[in-house]
Amino acid sequence: MEYILAPSILSADFKVLGEQMKETEEAGAKYLHFDVMDGMFVPSISFGMPVLKSIKGATGQVMDAHLMVQEPIRYVEAFQKAGADIVTVHLEACEDIHATIEKIRECGMKVGLSVCPETDIKETETLIKEIDMLLIMSVHPGFGGQKFIPESLEKIRIARNMAKEQGFELDIQVDGGIYHNNVKEVLDAGVNIVVAGSAVFNGNPAENTRKFMEILKNYG
Ligand code: DX5
Ligand code: ZN
């Protein structure tokens, strides 16, 4: 199983976003996590399609769009046009999750499904066969720089077991409050894609990415 770092640009310095992305890519981060907030599903507003379109191609990184958006089915095509490679939607935000998953597939992108901390992970049990990646939120979505919720570890373990029982290897991503000093715990629980915002972009992004990659490369 491949262990991947997905730096979240929510904490980047937007004056020099392209340069910072490049630094993370050169230090080994294969994905770039793009947090979209609509002011409805979550209280805050971040950025959307025009920003993605502008940064697409600044690096060769996989554009991993996390839509914290009510009824994201409305924007799937627009994100595909803007350059998303993976579109992750929240189970809690979709009236028809099957139709939303189908729409992402039709647009030729990978499908991510996310659950908030208060959502029972068992609700995804019948859905994981239809998706490429399960994103377990380890903070309440909406802001960077929050503290990791320890109960997330048990959810990750349950998710990894559910996939095992159904006989396949699922990409499991964790997002929120991940730092160099707790990343090993989420890997042990069963995560293989790690999102980190503050821990990458506060300080020196190249150095911070390298430190994460050392841990991820030596894992397993
Ligand atoms: C939270 C976002 C996260 C966030 C992670 O709503 O989905 O991607 O930026 O930030 P840190 O790593 O700072 O907790
Ligand atoms: Zn995110």
Side-chain angles (χ1 to χ4, degrees):
M1 175 155 276
E2 194 183 357
Y3 294 92
I4 293 168
L5 181 69
S8 161
I9 61 162
L10 198 57
S11 300
D13 180 351
F14 298 126
K15 292 193 297 300
V16 287
L17 181 54
E19 287 161 40
Q20 291 201 335
M21 286 169 60
K22 199 85 204 142
E23 285 181 43
T24 67
E25 181 182 45
E26 282 167 2
K30 212 175 145 184
Y31 285 18
L32 206 276
H33 189 77
F34 190 84
D35 282 311
V36 183
M37 302 179 184
D38 68 348
M40 294 288 285
F41 181 68
V42 290
S44 194
I45 295 174
S46 58
F47 37 68
M49 293 80 83
V51 176
L52 180 57
K53 190 166 178 223
S54 156
I55 64 172
K56 172 78 175 180
T59 63
Q61 288 165 311
V62 171
M63 293 293 137
D64 166 30
H66 175 196
L67 306 191
M68 287 163 275
V69 170
Q70 203 60 44
E71 286 304 338
I73 194 167
R74 297 176 293 154
Y75 300 105
V76 169
E77 268 180 57
F79 273 95
Q80 187 259 325
K81 289 201 178 94
D85 299 298
I86 305 171
V87 163
T88 296
V89 296
H90 271 265
L91 181 59
E92 305 88 354
C94 300
E95 203 179 280
D96 186 341
I97 189 63
H98 295 285
T100 310
I101 290 171
E102 187 50 37
K103 182 90 187 167
I104 301 170
R105 282 247 180 271
E106 263 172 38
C107 287
M109 297 177 290
K110 281 196 171 181
V111 180
L113 176 67
S114 183
V115 283
C116 290
E118 56 280 352
T119 301
D120 187 342
I121 193 68
K122 290 274 179 198
E123 286 187 37
T124 64
E125 191 160 15
T126 58
L127 294 167
I128 53 174
K129 268 241 144 80
E130 294 179 39
I131 63 172
D132 299 293
M133 182 175 83
L134 182 64
L135 164 53
I136 297 176
M137 288 305 301
S138 44
V139 298
H140 295 284
F143 302 96
Q146 303 180 71
K147 212 174 154 292
F148 180 82
I149 298 171
E151 286 76 18
S152 315
L153 291 172
E154 186 55 19
K155 289 176 85 168
I156 296 165
R157 283 185 211 109
I158 295 171
R160 182 52 75 204
N161 273 332
M162 285 187 330
K164 215 180 264 170
E165 275 164 18
Q166 293 180 36
F168 65 101
E169 266 196 355
L170 177 68
D171 277 334
I172 301 183
Q173 186 177 53
V174 69
D175 184 6
I178 305 294
Y179 291 85
H180 298 99
N181 65 6
N182 65 354
V183 64
K184 175 107 182 356
E185 286 176 63
V186 295
L187 297 173
D188 284 344
V191 158
N192 68 303
I193 305 179
V194 174
V195 176
S198 310
V200 167
F201 291 104
N202 291 354
N204 181 332
E207 189 54 36
N208 291 336
T209 302
R210 256 194 302 278
K211 278 188 2 206
F212 268 118
M213 289 316 298
E214 246 168 66
I215 301 168
L216 295 183
K217 276 186 196 144
N218 293 329
Y219 190 77

